[in-house]
Amino acid sequence: MPPTTHPPRPGASSHIANAKSAKRIEAAVAFATRLRTLLSNPHANSGVLDAAAFTKEAADHAARLHQCLQTYVPGLSGDPEIDALATGLWNLCTRLGRGVREEEKERETNNEGDREGLVVARRGVGASGDVCLEGGKGTGQENAGRDGKGKVNRLGRLYLHGKVLAFHLLGVARPKEKGGAGVVVRLMRLGLKAVRDCVNAGEATLASPVMQLAADYKNWLQNMAKKLPEDEAKECRCLEVEYFIMRTALCWAESRLDVAEHMYSKTESLRQFLTPEYAERLADVLYEIGKSLSTESNFSMAVRWLKRASEVISGQELEQLSREGLELRLAILQALVTALLGTGTREALDEAQNQVAFIESEAGNKFVVSLLKLELLQKMPAEVFDTEGYGDILRHIIRSFPVSDSGFKLIMHHIRKLHDKSPGAGCAVLDDLIVALSRAEKDEWVEKAVVTRVWMITNQRDTAETIKAAEDVLGQLSRPLSSEAAVAAQALLWKKLESNYTQGHYDLAERWCQLSLNGVFQNCGPGNTSKLERKLLMCALARNSLDAATAIIHKMSPQSWKEPMTAYLAFKVAIRVEDHTMAEKCLETVAQAPDHVDYLGACIAESQKAGDITCAIAALRKLQETYEYKEPNPIHLPALFRCTIRLLNLMLDKSGADKGQMVEDLCAEFEAVVLALQREKEATPKRKLFTIDELEWFSRSAYNLALKNTAVWELRCVIRMLTACVSIISYFPADVDFRSELSLKTLFAHFVISSALVALARTQDNIEKQRDDYTTMRKHIAAFDNELPEYLHQLDEHSRGDMLRKHAALLAFDFEAAVALQQWDDLGGIVQRSLPCKNVTALQAMADCLLRAQAPGQALYFTMRKIVNEIWFLERFDAVKLAKYTRCLFQATLPLDDKLAMRLLDEACSKARELSQSQATWPEEELEWMATTALNHAIDCYGVRELERAKEWATKAINLAHYCPDKRLEEVLHGKYLRLSLDGRGG
């Protein structure tokens, strides 16, 4: 609304002052118009408005208007448009300011429970319905400190300055010279409201000029009261009382308590004019002054002002007081009790008790009365503190406390106070509260109460009874706590149990663990649960209670079992109760951990400590399995193998051990050494894990074990051990000093292996396994052949002869294997390799083997001829042996290849001729058999119409029969030949 301008009145002596005032009024009107428009815009509260700048400008305009309010400005003073503008701005700022105060009050209410002492929520008393002032200088500073921290406070100051500006504009629009008593009364009432708002907001400086105008209005009304009707005069007196009330409040806000005393004394002469409404206002101011002094711990002065407030409010009939007045009366009495208790004197304590009794007689045993009783009990000397009474009052409160955050916080505050005096009583009352809250399904409060309960028990002396009491109350909860609350509670409990465990109080530490694992804490997370279960297991181990430890292990969660530390602890239990199945499970888990080396090492140490060699061996082998060929490595692998082998040897010597399994494990260990040597060569060719000494130890141990137990162990275990020995020897450097010793071990190992394999193969029913044994044996014999030449020349004659005999035996085994494997082409080579041995026995074994086999004719003939010739050369066969081998060879060859058989027949005839010319003779029965067999074969050829072959075979049969001493055989054969008519006459 643009300001209305009027021409100045001519002839006035104050023309210049009027003009200056007019400019100030016009500028203020223009600003007020703009401010009202902006505040009416809903976007003003969303950051569009620069509250600080507008606040300063409003203050400046109000200050300028204050200087010219007493100047009558023609055309502006009494302008109805300015009146409407000011009234609208006042109402708008009042409404917006009330919203700000409601928000502030809501925040204060939410924080009430955090204050110590007693709090009664109440609205302030006054015609404007505003919140009562918070206190004197301290409150003003607090409010000022809050200014600027948030948008709401900044806007609140703007609304307050807007009201002050509106009040000054109303003074311009309605000058007392023109309005009379009605206008002045209205202006004074509004001025006092503005002062109240300023004092409440801590704006004492802003209130002072308004109060000056109110004083001017008060003086004007005092002079006019004599001329006014009685009812209007009484209204003026009431306003005068309110004026002095607000002067008292303003002096207090300005920290001028002596002036406040003077202003309060002014009201005493006007008490007769106090209506209930004004009495409530005065009492409210006195109450705020007293409460502020009590906050500053000036209890004696606080008692004085609060008693004044009580006298003022109690001087009115209760039924005439408003609801806010009744609340104020109770708040005054409550604050008075607090101040009296604060003085600490016996007289004050007695008076406080009387006041509480008076409040209870009027209000009954309400929540606030119970709180006052608690305050009284707290002030009692420690030696006479009524623990039981305090607890009873708290239990009464619990049964009927107001369901609000502030009420809950206040009860918790007093329970903590009781706990400080008597821990047991405090815990008992809190248990009752927890149960009550759980039944009311106040989960958030239950969680806070439970965490507090845990805090309490962890700050008490440790006893099984206190822990049992906590377990009992937790057992009454129907739902688990949230993860946040569970973790908070367990953090407190952990410190307690860890302290007991460190001090060796394992029984109590175990009880704390069990409490921490209560079902209400199940949302603490699997990691915390695992940690607690492990600690519980450690307590049982420390107490050496193996039954309890075993029970704990079987109840552990799957998550706990995944932790290597849990598995290690369970392993300690397993070896003590000799549960090897559990121990193996634990080792599996430990071996999968990133830091398995440390854990497995600990398991090995525990096994040895307990004397459980089996578990120690299992742990050592897990360590071998997880070994990584990387540098640096905390494990010395050869030492690991040596330890395992030594332990296995110890197990072999123990009675009752499964010796078969132990031998198997020993073999596997030496085979693991071989595998490690192979992997070392592949992974780290430049780094040598195994020194020559270590290689010598492993090869010697394997060799000695095999030889020592050849007659005891199963042959396959002997074979495995010696095979490992040979493999280990192969990793020695070529230029090692004791190469000849290694060669001898190698040769002998190959010999024993081959001997064992041939024995196994001969008794093997499974053809496939038999073939494998023969194949493996041939490899070892070949290795023997390769090693022998280099070593043979180093032996003396006797040793060389022994080695050649072994070689011959191995070649006989090799011949047998080649026959079994039907590797016919290798037979001749084997016989050839046997020639340097000059061993008839081996050759005879080869011959016997060949004759028993179903060899192809060519292989049979040429190999046997070679064998027979070598035997003939070595022993100068007599006629009997020669005839026998010839006959056997002929018998085996004839079905396969009659041409080769015919050659044998020719050779037999040649030998018989030679022998007939010497003293030796071919055995007659051998000649008869071969001749008869040859003629029969001729008859067979004749039967299939192969006449030339039949003739040739018949002729040779007759020739061989010629050398028989008994000539009858030759005649018989010749007769049969004639009957066959093979000379061209046959049919």
Side-chain angles (χ1 to χ4, degrees):
M1 178 184 67
T4 303
T5 57
H6 299 278
R9 296 181 179 180
S13 60
S14 57
H15 176 74
I16 297 176
N18 287 344
K20 186 176 181 180
S21 297
K23 288 182 180 179
R24 289 178 176 178
I25 293 171
E26 290 172 357
V29 167
F31 173 76
T33 302
R34 183 157 55 95
L35 179 61
R36 180 182 176 186
T37 302
L38 285 173
L39 293 181
S40 300
N41 184 351
H43 295 291
N45 290 335
S46 62
V48 177
L49 184 64
D50 186 351
F54 273 83
T55 297
K56 183 179 183 305
E57 195 170 351
D60 293 340
H61 283 293
R64 296 189 189 102
L65 287 178
H66 185 73
Q67 297 175 7
C68 65
L69 268 180
Q70 305 305 321
T71 304
Y72 182 85
V73 182
L76 292 176
S77 297
D79 192 329
E81 294 184 2
I82 296 178
D83 182 272
L85 171 64
T87 300
L89 181 59
W90 174 277
N91 292 335
L92 179 60
C93 289
T94 298
R95 178 172 56 81
L96 294 175
R98 187 177 295 117
V100 171
R101 287 192 296 274
E102 289 297 331
E103 291 183 18
E104 190 70 27
K105 183 176 180 239
E106 182 178 355
R107 286 197 300 274
E108 290 179 0
T109 301
N110 289 337
N111 294 327
E112 272 180 2
D114 295 331
R115 304 174 188 166
E116 292 191 3
L118 307 178
V119 177
V120 174
R122 48 175 290 276
R123 283 183 58 87
V125 180
S128 65
D130 297 330
V131 177
C132 282
L133 54 90
E134 290 292 333
K137 180 179 179 181
T139 305
Q141 289 174 342
E142 183 182 0
N143 288 340
R146 288 199 302 266
D147 282 349
K149 288 187 179 180
K151 182 174 67 177
V152 172
N153 284 342
R154 289 196 298 270
L155 289 174
R157 294 190 72 237
L158 174 60
Y159 302 149
L160 185 59
H161 281 74
K163 289 181 72 172
V164 172
L165 176 60
F167 171 72
H168 282 83
L169 286 173
L170 285 170
V172 171
R174 296 187 177 187
K176 57 182 180 294
E177 292 83 357
K178 296 294 184 179
V183 171
V184 176
V185 167
R186 179 172 182 268
L187 288 174
M188 186 175 178
R189 184 179 288 115
L190 292 177
L192 293 176
K193 289 181 180 179
V195 170
R196 182 183 298 109
D197 289 345
C198 290
V199 171
N200 288 341
E203 295 281 353
T205 303
L206 182 61
S208 293
V210 179
M211 183 57 79
Q212 292 174 11
L213 293 175
D216 185 46
Y217 293 140
K218 188 263 298 181
N219 292 333
W220 192 88
L221 287 175
Q222 279 182 331
N223 295 330
M224 291 291 296
K226 301 174 183 178
K227 304 175 184 179
L228 295 175
E230 183 178 353
D231 56 341
E232 292 184 16
K234 187 176 181 179
E235 175 71 14
C236 291
R237 286 294 189 179
C238 287
L239 281 175
E240 187 177 353
V241 173
E242 186 172 4
Y243 165 79
F244 284 114
I245 293 172
M246 295 316 303
R247 281 294 302 272
T248 302
L250 182 58
C251 291
W252 164 68
E254 293 173 337
S255 298
R256 295 187 298 164
L257 201 57
D258 54 341
V259 182
E261 285 276 2
H262 174 70
M263 289 300 166
Y264 172 73
S265 65
K266 294 281 189 181
T267 64
E268 294 182 345
S269 61
L270 299 171
R271 291 285 181 86
Q272 57 181 318
F273 301 106
L274 277 181
T275 63
E277 178 183 356
Y278 284 98
E280 291 178 12
R281 294 182 187 178
L282 175 58
D284 188 41
V285 172
L286 300 175
Y287 163 71
E288 294 294 344
I289 294 173
K291 191 172 69 170
S292 175
L293 290 168
S294 185
T295 303
E296 297 171 0
S297 298
N298 190 351
F299 296 113
S300 58
M301 290 296 295
V303 168
R304 177 189 298 180
W305 285 93
L306 289 169
K307 283 184 176 181
R308 289 170 177 173
S310 178
E311 291 171 1
V312 170
I313 197 73
S314 299
Q316 304 296 318
E317 298 293 334
L318 293 181
E319 61 271 10
Q320 293 181 350
L321 294 177
S322 66
R323 180 179 64 82
E324 289 83 359
L326 293 172
E327 292 178 355
L328 174 62
R329 182 170 177 270
L330 182 59
I332 292 170
L333 292 173
Q334 175 187 344
L336 178 57
V337 170
T338 302
L340 286 168
L341 294 174
T343 61
T345 65
R346 184 65 207 180
E347 294 77 10
L349 180 60
D350 293 339
E351 185 177 352
Q353 288 179 319
N354 294 333
Q355 289 289 346
V356 172
F358 172 73
I359 296 171
E360 185 174 11
S361 66
E362 285 202 343
N365 195 9
K366 292 185 177 179
F367 181 64
V368 66
V369 175
S370 297
L371 295 178
L372 289 172
K373 288 181 178 180
L374 294 175
E375 287 286 315
L376 282 172
L377 290 175
Q378 285 185 38
K379 294 300 180 180
M380 293 294 180
E383 61 271 12
V384 295
F385 181 76
D386 188 358
T387 300
E388 185 176 351
Y390 202 99
D392 290 341
I393 294 171
L394 282 174
R395 289 186 176 90
H396 172 75
I397 293 174
I398 290 170
R399 289 192 292 268
S400 58
F401 82 95
V403 182
S404 65
D405 281 335
S406 59
F408 168 72
K409 291 176 182 178
L410 200 56
I411 292 175
M412 291 296 295
H413 165 77
H414 283 287
I415 290 177
R416 284 192 290 267
K417 290 287 187 183
L418 177 59
H419 181 263
D420 292 340
K421 301 283 187 179
S422 174
C427 290
V429 173
L430 184 53
D431 289 346
D432 292 342
L433 177 62
I434 291 172
V435 173
L437 292 175
S438 66
R439 291 171 181 169
E441 297 185 354
K442 296 294 182 181
D443 292 345
E444 182 180 356
W445 294 349
V446 168
E447 291 180 354
K448 292 179 180 178
V450 168
V451 173
T452 302
R453 180 66 170 88
V454 170
W455 174 84
M456 285 181 176
I457 191 176
T458 55
N459 282 276
Q460 293 177 218
R461 185 172 61 88
D462 292 352
T463 65
E465 290 74 18
T466 57
I467 299 174
K468 177 65 167 57
E471 289 174 339
D472 290 342
V473 71
L474 293 179
Q476 298 188 55
L477 301 182
S478 58
R479 285 187 292 274
L481 304 183
S482 66
S483 58
E484 182 179 1
V487 169
Q490 285 189 338
L492 295 170
L493 293 170
W494 177 260
K495 292 180 181 178
K496 198 67 173 178
L497 74 89
E498 187 70 10
S499 172
N500 278 280
Y501 185 85
T502 303
Q503 297 175 42
H505 303 155
Y506 302 119
D507 289 336
L508 283 173
E510 187 170 334
R511 293 299 302 273
W512 285 113
C513 273
Q514 291 168 346
L515 180 61
S516 301
L517 288 168
N518 191 286
V520 300
F521 302 130
Q522 67 185 38
N523 292 327
C524 65
N528 284 349
T529 300
S530 300
K531 186 177 179 181
L532 288 166
E533 288 178 339
R534 282 196 298 274
K535 186 61 75 172
L536 187 62
L537 181 56
M538 290 170 67
C539 291
L541 281 170
R543 293 191 300 105
N544 201 28
S545 177
L546 297 181
D547 290 340
T550 304
I552 292 167
I553 290 171
H554 289 309
K555 292 179 181 178
M556 277 186 171
S557 61
Q559 176 64 30
S560 292
W561 267 110
K562 294 178 182 178
E563 299 289 338
M565 186 60 183
T566 303
Y568 165 66
L569 294 173
F571 179 83
K572 292 179 68 174
V573 177
I575 60 175
R576 295 186 187 184
V577 299
E578 298 182 357
D579 187 344
H580 290 160
T581 301
M582 183 192 297
E584 184 66 25
K585 177 182 177 183
C586 296
L587 290 175
E588 284 290 340
T589 302
V590 166
Q592 295 172 9
D595 50 352
H596 61 270
V597 173
D598 296 335
Y599 283 110
L600 286 173
C603 290
I604 294 167
E606 287 294 333
S607 301
Q608 292 178 326
K609 181 180 177 182
D612 194 325
I613 300 177
T614 301
C615 286
I617 292 170
L620 285 166
R621 301 190 81 169
K622 284 294 177 187
L623 205 52
Q624 295 170 23
E625 292 172 8
T626 55
Y627 182 83
E628 296 181 358
Y629 292 80
K630 296 179 181 179
E631 292 187 42
N633 198 312
I635 302 173
H636 185 58
L637 190 58
L640 191 61
F641 284 127
R642 286 199 303 274
C643 290
T644 308
I645 290 168
R646 285 181 176 131
L647 289 177
L648 286 169
N649 274 324
L650 285 176
M651 287 294 294
L652 272 176
D653 296 335
K654 290 181 67 175
S655 60
D658 185 354
K659 296 188 182 297
Q661 184 60 48
M662 289 299 103
V663 172
E664 287 282 339
D665 291 342
L666 260 177
C667 294
E669 201 62 27
F670 279 98
E671 288 166 351
V673 172
V674 175
L675 180 61
L677 285 165
Q678 180 183 345
R679 292 188 62 187
E680 175 195 34
K681 185 176 181 180
E682 296 171 353
T684 56
K686 295 181 180 179
R687 180 170 68 97
K688 295 299 180 183
L689 288 173
F690 293 81
T691 64
I692 292 178
D693 289 341
E694 285 162 343
L695 291 172
E696 195 279 331
W697 188 91
F698 286 113
S699 61
R700 172 168 43 82
S701 298
Y703 185 80
N704 291 340
L705 279 170
L707 295 188
K708 175 184 175 182
N709 297 285
T710 301
V712 180
W713 290 0
E714 291 186 4
L715 284 179
R716 292 204 181 275
C717 292
V718 175
I719 292 168
R720 290 173 64 186
M721 190 66 72
L722 288 174
T723 301
C725 173
V726 170
S727 299
I728 293 169
I729 289 174
S730 68
Y731 285 93
F732 277 91
D735 57 351
V736 70
D737 295 339
F738 45 93
R739 169 53 63 186
S740 60
E741 181 182 343
L742 294 177
S743 296
L744 179 60
K745 281 184 181 179
T746 303
L747 290 169
F748 196 74
H750 285 309
F751 176 76
V752 176
I753 291 170
S754 301
S755 301
L757 283 171
V758 75
L760 290 171
R762 288 170 180 173
T763 58
Q764 183 60 257
D765 295 330
N766 188 310
I767 300 301
E768 195 63 36
K769 289 184 178 180
Q770 184 186 58
R771 291 178 63 84
D772 291 341
D773 287 340
Y774 275 129
T775 300
T776 304
M777 183 187 70
R778 294 205 69 196
K779 292 178 181 178
H780 283 281
I781 294 172
F784 185 98
D785 287 350
N786 293 333
E787 186 77 21
L788 182 61
E790 184 178 349
Y791 176 73
L792 198 59
H793 71 277
Q794 304 176 28
L795 300 177
D796 56 35
E797 184 176 352
H798 176 75
S799 299
R800 188 181 305 114
D802 180 67
M803 190 61 68
L804 287 174
R805 284 191 292 274
K806 287 181 170 57
H807 190 202
L810 290 181
L811 289 172
F813 298 157
D814 195 29
F815 191 92
E816 178 183 334
V819 169
L821 296 171
Q822 297 183 355
Q823 296 171 344
W824 312 113
D825 294 340
D826 293 349
L827 298 180
I830 295 172
V831 174
Q832 185 64 35
R833 282 157 47 204
S834 71
L835 298 183
C837 298
K838 299 180 181 180
N839 191 300
V840 175
T841 304
L843 291 170
Q844 289 174 343
M846 293 179 191
D848 291 342
C849 179
L850 183 60
L851 291 174
R852 290 193 301 269
Q854 296 179 354
Q858 292 281 344
L860 178 64
Y861 175 76
F862 288 108
T863 305
M864 185 59 77
R865 279 199 65 195
K866 197 166 189 178
I867 293 172
V868 170
N869 289 338
E870 184 63 20
I871 293 174
W872 178 267
F873 172 77
L874 292 175
E875 287 198 350
R876 293 299 178 181
F877 265 0
D878 58 18
V880 176
K881 288 185 178 180
L882 180 61
K884 177 182 176 183
Y885 273 109
T886 304
R887 185 252 302 165
C888 290
L889 181 59
F890 176 77
Q891 184 180 8
T893 306
L894 182 59
L896 302 175
D897 190 337
D898 63 349
K899 291 181 179 179
L900 293 176
M902 189 176 289
R903 291 177 61 180
L904 284 171
L905 198 62
D906 291 340
E907 291 179 5
C909 189
S910 176
K911 290 291 184 183
R913 184 185 309 112
E914 292 178 9
L915 290 174
S916 66
Q917 298 172 1
S918 64
Q919 294 181 354
T921 58
W922 192 278
E924 183 176 0
E925 61 273 14
E926 296 291 354
L927 286 174
E928 289 179 356
W929 186 89
M930 287 187 69
T932 303
T933 301
L935 184 64
N936 290 337
H937 186 67
I939 293 171
D940 292 337
C941 292
Y942 179 81
V944 294
R945 313 309 294 172
E946 295 180 358
L947 300 180
E948 289 298 325
R949 287 182 61 210
K951 181 178 178 181
E952 186 175 5
W953 272 99
T955 301
K956 291 184 181 295
I958 294 171
N959 291 339
L960 184 60
H962 174 73
Y963 297 103
C964 284
D966 185 359
K967 299 299 181 180
R968 291 179 57 194
L969 178 61
E970 181 180 6
E971 293 175 1
V972 172
L973 295 182
H974 191 267
K976 290 184 178 182
Y977 174 79
L978 293 176
R979 284 196 295 273
L980 291 175
S981 302
L982 294 175
D983 290 331
R985 302 185 299 273

